[in-house]
Amino acid sequence: MAKINPGLFLRQVRQEVAKVTWPSRKETTISTGMVFLMVVLASVFFLLVDQFFAWAVKLIFGLGA
């Protein structure tokens, strides 16, 4: 394995970081909002599925009165 001196490594890191395209504030805000929306939708979905299965188990086995 080739050894790279620390100065060369840091120069390469700076070159790679310069290539990164960072999202704008608007893109970040929209993405964050979409994540929160999907979390809420998934939570509601799993709540409804869980309630359905709880109801089905009570109906079939008469458990969890």
Side-chain angles (χ1 to χ4, degrees):
M1 186 168 163
K3 291 187 178 183
I4 299 177
N5 67 36
L8 176 60
F9 174 75
L10 289 176
R11 279 193 302 275
Q12 289 176 347
V13 168
R14 288 187 66 202
Q15 288 173 349
E16 291 300 318
V17 169
K19 295 178 186 177
V20 174
T21 56
W22 299 99
S24 68
R25 180 176 295 272
K26 183 178 179 183
E27 291 172 331
T28 304
T29 303
I30 291 171
S31 297
T32 303
M34 292 304 293
V35 167
F36 281 124
L37 177 65
M38 292 306 295
V39 166
V40 169
L41 291 175
S43 299
V44 170
F45 171 76
F46 286 115
L47 173 70
L48 294 174
V49 170
D50 183 57
Q51 292 299 315
F52 170 76
F53 281 120
W55 172 79
V57 166
K58 281 188 213 174
L59 182 68
I60 294 170
F61 296 113
L63 299 174

